[in-house]
Structure formats: structure tokens, C-alpha cells
């Protein structure tokens, strides 16, 4: 396990050095997008239109924050479960997305896309929404305001604590459930 | 007959929504602390440390523990000698949810299932009414997050599958869910009733305290058996490996049709946000 401090936009060089289990403190700009926003992003691509942000070197955070109370840039902002974005993720990786941030497992196509396009999947601690919001210093809705919590936000982060779950070399960090130990033959 | 005013119901529901989204229940905190002392893996310890730090921070800043402030689920026991004054009970509960989610800066996650358009105010709440003797109104609120809820399942086993079949289904479900529902989770299990009733009692099981023991020693033993088996899976906090995959297993069992063995597994995240009030 190695610790890295990385800045966006992320390069192939940044990504290639990472291995499952490494800790990354990410700074710079990241974009929020979850279920409904992903559908809209892919609809834009299908229509040959421009996306609200540049995918090249970008990191997408699967998050739907709670409303910002007075005096804070954002409310609680922990990761949402990532597999729901698997039907869109390979295409976004193929267009230059370098990292997605969420929690939980990814499917085989998404893991393969990370290898094919030198990209990673970071895990953030699920349910630690109050804690993680401390790493987000600025947040502005840049698209799909009508989606409310699911709108696309441009967020400035400082030392956002992440764990490499899937690297660009085909490795995955998650534990494999021991069914035998649990008494299943 | 005792009269309860709707404005008291609205305020009580709003307060429960706000308070339980911000304050980690004491029994959950104790379980997380015990788990941290018991874990040997550094990553498991680190996740649990972050969850406890998150709970402190939420308490101090009044930020919600989790951005997913849940769909509001309410179990309501209406005393048969209670009269509601000032409007309908269901409307009052929904108004309380609206108020709580708005004033507490909680995320409103209710939406149309197909268009996905957000209803904008966190309602409608899912409300289960029950009528009981007495002149009080008991309302239990649960913030049910989508990530964990999605990992839940209902199945209809054959009677011959019995306890072994139940165990196998539950273990496979938790194994397959893996890191997705924010482990360590709490597992609510409903056995018996009918298809829809099993799901309801599985969810109601999640209202129990983590440190309680089922009054029926046989069911208490089954809860312990399942808890040990699920923790042996080694999924661990956030799926990174470790001894703590579940914080507890809570079973509710009721009679069923002689042809059936309904089983529901309701997965709840580590925050286990719930609260009750009696008016």
C-alpha cells in the first residue's frame, strides 16, 4: 500500500502507477453524476452534443449530496453504490474519463474498460457523508439542475481520501466472501 | 377517547426525521466501537474509525450522517381510543416528513419510479398502520437508504427447505451483496406470513435495538447462529475484509400457509437510523 497525492486532470502516468489498495488524496476539480445524470450524459453523447464538462482526464464522483446548510459549500456527500452506473461507465472511460468514485462492486465490462483505457475506480467510505464533505471546498451545479440531488456539480476538492479498488492492471481490492467458513457447501 | 392534535404529530415526525439523520443511535455506536476493538485488519479498523469520526462530526455540525437521508418509512400504532383532531393522520405524517426533510437540510430522495422525477419534498412516506388497544399513538421512523434497500430480497421457499434453506438463502444474499450496502450491515429477517407480510416484518425487525435479545430463546439462538455465519464470510467493513460483516441479525417469525415458507431479507446500512415517539 502506497499513498499518493494527485491532482486533476489525471494523466495516464498518474493512473498507471496506482495499484488496488493504494491510498490517494485527490485535489482539484471533480464532477458529481449519478443515476439520472448518467442517462442524460449518454443521451447527449447519442445526440452528438457536447457534455457539460470535459471527460478527458476527469474524475466523476457518484454522489447525490444533501442540501448545503448555511455557511457550508455542501451537505453530507458520501459515495453512492456504483454498479448502477455500470451500463454507462465503459463508454465514458473510452472517451477519456480517468476515474470514477463510489462504493461497491463493478461489473466485468467496467473493469475491462479500466484496463483498456488506463483508468481506475476509487472507493470512498460509504455512509461517511459528513466526514467526506470536509474535503469538498466548493460546489456549483453546472447541468441538469432539474434533477435536484442528482444534478451535475463541479466540485473543488482538497485531499479527498480515496482507496484504489480497481486499478488499470486488472486487480481488485474487495474481499471474496468465504462461503465455506459461513457453512455453505 | 383521547384527542391528539395533528400539529403535535407533524412536529413529532419532523423532529424524528431530523434527529435520527444526524445522531447515530447509542447502541449502534457501541457496536461499532466493539467491532473496532475486535478487528485486526488495518483497513477494517480504519473504516470503523472513519464511521465513528463521521458520527462525531455529524453531531457537532448537524450535518446528516449520510447524504442518503433515506425514504421515510413509518410504523404507526394507533390506539383504538385515540381521536385525531385537525386533519387526517396520514396527511399529518407526510407533512411532518416534509417539514423535517426541509428544515433539517435532508436529501429528498422520493421520485417517480419510471420518469425518475423527484417529488421534491421527500414524500410520500411509506406508512404502515396498525391498530392496538389503548389511547396512545406510537410512531416509529426509519430512514431507509436506497443502496442497502436494493440488496434486499423476498423469496418463497418450499416448506421442506426449513431452517437450513433459510440460512443458505440469507448467507448467499449477504455474500452476493458484498460491499454494496455499506457493511457492516444490520439484517432484518421476516419468516412466515405471506409474500408481502414477510417483507413487512423483516423491515419491522430493524426497529429493534442492536443489543437486545429476542424473547424467544430459540429465535435468539437462530439470530446468533446467523450473525456468526455472516461474520465468518469475511466481507468486513466496506467489503475490504475483516471480522465485522454484520452488526446484528434480527428475526421476526409468524405463522404461514401450510404450503408456504415465505422469507424476506431486509438489508440495512451501518447507520441503522431509526427512532420512535409515543404521543
Amino acid at each position: 500500500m502506497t499513498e499518493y497525492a494527485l491532482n486533476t486532470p489525471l494523466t495516464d502516468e498518474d493512473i498507471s502507477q496506482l495499484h488496488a489498495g493504494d491510498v490517494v488524496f485527490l485535489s482539484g476539480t471533480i464532477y458529481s453524476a449519478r443515476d439520472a445524470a448518467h442517462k442524460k450524459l449518454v443521451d447527449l453523447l447519442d445526440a452528438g452534443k457536447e457534455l457539460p464538462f470535459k471527460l478527458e482526464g476527469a474524475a466523476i464522483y457518484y454522489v447525490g449530496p444533501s442540501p448545503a446548510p448555511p455557511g457550508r459549500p455542501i451537505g453530507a456527500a458520501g459515495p453512492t453504490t456504483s454498479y448502477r452506473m455500470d451500463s454507462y461507465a465503459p463508454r465514458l472511460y473510452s472517451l477519456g474519463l480517468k476515474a470514477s468514485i463510489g462504493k461497491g462492486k463493478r461489473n466485468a465490462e467496467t473493469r475491462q474498460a479500466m484496463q483498456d483505457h488506463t483508468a481506475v475506480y476509487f472507493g470512498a467510505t460509504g455512509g461517511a457523508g459528513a466526514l467526506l464533505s470536509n474535503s469538498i471546498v466548493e460546489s456549483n451545479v453546472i447541468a441538469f439542475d432539474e434533477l435536484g440531488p442528482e444534478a451535475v456539480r463541479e466540485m473543488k476538492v482538497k485531499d479527498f481520501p480515496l482507496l484504489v479498488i480497481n486499478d488499470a492492471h486488472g486487480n481488485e481490492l474487495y474481499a471474496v466472501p468465504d462461503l465455506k467458513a459461513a457453512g455453505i457447501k | 377517547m383521547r384527542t391528539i392534535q395533528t400539529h403535535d404529530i407533524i412536529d413529532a415526525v419532523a423532529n424524528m426525521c431530523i434527529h435520527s439523520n444526524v445522531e447515530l443511535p447509542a447502541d449502534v455506536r457501541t457496536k461499532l466501537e466493539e467491532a473496532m476493538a475486535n478487528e485486526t485488519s488495518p483497513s477494517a479498523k480504519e473504516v470503523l474509525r472513519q464511521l465513528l469520526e463521521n458520527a462525531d462530526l455529524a453531531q457537532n455540525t448537524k450535518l446528516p450522517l449520510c447524504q442518503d437521508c433515506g425514504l421515510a418509512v413509518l410504523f404507526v400504532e394507533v390506539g383504538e381510543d385515540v381521536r385525531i383532531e385537525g386533519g387526517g393522520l396520514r396527511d399529518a405524517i407526510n407533512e411532518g416528513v416534509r417539514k423535517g426533510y426541509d428544515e433539517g437540510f435532508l436529501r429528498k430522495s422520493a421520485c417517480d419510479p419510471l420518469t425518475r422525477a423527484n417529488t421534491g419534498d421527500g414524500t410520500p412516506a411509506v406508512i404502515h398502520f396498525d391498530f392496538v388497544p389503548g389511547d396512545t399513538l406510537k410512531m416509529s421512523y426509519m430512514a431507509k437508504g436506497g443502496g442497502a434497500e436494493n440488496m434486499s430480497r423476498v423469496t418463497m421457499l418450499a416448506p421442506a427447505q426449513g431452517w437450513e434453506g433459510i440460512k443458505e438463502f440469507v448467507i448467499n444474499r449477504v455474500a452476493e451483496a458484498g460491499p454494496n450496502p455499506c457493511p457492516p450491515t444490520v439484517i432484518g429477517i421476516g419468516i412466515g406470513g405471506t409474500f408481502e407480510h414477510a417483507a413487512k416484518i423483516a423491515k419491522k425487525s430493524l426497529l429493534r435495538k442492536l443489543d437486545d435479545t429476542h424473547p424467544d430463546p430459540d429465535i435468539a439462538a437462530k439470530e446468533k447462529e446467523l450473525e456468526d455465519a455472516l461474520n465468518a464470510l469475511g466481507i468486513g467493513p466496506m467489503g475490504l475484509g475483516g471480522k465485522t460483516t454484520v452488526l446484528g441479525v434480527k428475526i421476526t417469525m409468524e405463522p404461514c400457509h401450510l404450503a408456504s415458507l415465505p422469507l424476506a431479507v431486509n438489508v440495512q446500512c451501518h447507520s441503522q437510523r431509526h427512532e420512535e415517539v409515543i404521543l
Side-chain angles (χ1 to χ4, degrees), chain A residues 33 73 116 142 144 184:
Chain A
D116 294 345
I142 58 164
F144 316 142
I184 302 279

Side-chain angles (χ1 to χ4, degrees), chain A residues 61 78-79 101-103 122-127 132 160-163 165, chain B residues 50 238:
Chain A
Y61 185 18
I101 303 165
K103 67 171 171 90
F122 291 123
T125 301
L132 290 170
F160 193 55
L162 302 169
L163 195 54
I165 302 290
Chain B
Q50 285 185 25
M238 282 306 127

Side-chain angles (χ1 to χ4, degrees), chain A residues 56 58 79 108 145 167 182:
Chain A
E56 196 72 26
D145 198 14
D167 61 28

Side-chain angles (χ1 to χ4, degrees), chain A residues 34 64-70 72 75-79 81 83-84 103-105 125-131 133-134 149 163 173-175 177-179 181-182 184, chain B residues 47 50-51 53-54 57-58 61 63-67 105-108 118 147 150-151 168 171-172 175-177 179-180 182 229 232-235 238-241 270:
Chain A
R34 46 171 292 158
S66 62
R72 292 188 78 97
T81 325
Y83 73 90
R84 299 191 309 266
K103 67 171 171 90
K105 291 179 282 191
T125 301
L131 183 65
S133 77
N134 276 352
L163 195 54
L173 186 63
Y174 285 136
D178 188 346
L179 288 168
I184 302 279
Chain B
V47 167
Q50 285 185 25
L51 296 183
E53 190 185 343
N54 184 65
L57 195 72
T61 59
L63 276 182
L65 290 153
C66 180
Q67 73 291 338
F105 294 93
L106 307 179
R107 195 182 85 189
K108 295 139 189 117
N118 199 296
N150 286 346
M151 296 297 112
E168 194 180 327
I171 292 168
N172 280 324
E176 205 182 315
N180 294 355
C182 287
L233 283 170
I235 292 168
M238 282 306 127
L240 302 173
H270 53 72

Side-chain angles (χ1 to χ4, degrees), chain B residues 149-170:
Chain B
E149 187 78 348
N150 286 346
M151 296 297 112
S152 305
R153 294 291 184 272
V154 181
T155 187
M156 304 300 280
L157 299 178
Q161 288 178 270
W163 173 242
E164 284 310 307
I166 291 169
K167 244 177 85 175
E168 194 180 327
F169 186 86
V170 175

Side-chain angles (χ1 to χ4, degrees), chain A residues 10-118:
Chain A
L10 297 162
T11 64
D12 281 358
E13 203 181 10
D14 290 332
I15 301 298
S16 299
Q17 66 185 340
L18 299 177
H19 290 89
D22 288 345
V23 171
V24 170
F25 293 96
L26 187 65
S27 298
T29 301
I30 64 174
Y31 301 94
S32 73
R34 46 171 292 158
D35 307 65
H38 268 75
K39 179 161 192 321
K40 286 193 174 249
L41 290 175
V42 167
D43 286 348
L44 285 176
L45 288 175
D46 285 343
K49 293 187 179 150
E50 268 200 27
L51 295 188
F53 60 92
K54 241 179 79 180
L55 275 177
E56 196 72 26
I60 290 181
Y61 185 18
Y62 303 147
V63 61
S66 62
R72 292 188 78 97
I74 200 161
T80 199
T81 325
S82 305
Y83 73 90
R84 299 191 309 266
M85 271 52 78
D86 279 351
S87 47
Y88 311 106
R91 183 159 175 194
L92 300 183
Y93 279 128
S94 78
L95 295 172
L97 178 71
K98 284 288 146 202
S100 58
I101 303 165
K103 67 171 171 90
K105 291 179 282 191
R106 309 311 301 264
N107 69 11
E109 290 76 20
T110 304
R111 296 196 306 267
Q112 185 60 48
M114 291 180 221
Q115 290 189 67
D116 294 345
H117 306 291
T118 317

Side-chain angles (χ1 to χ4, degrees), chain B residues 78 145 205 242:
Chain B
V78 188
S205 306

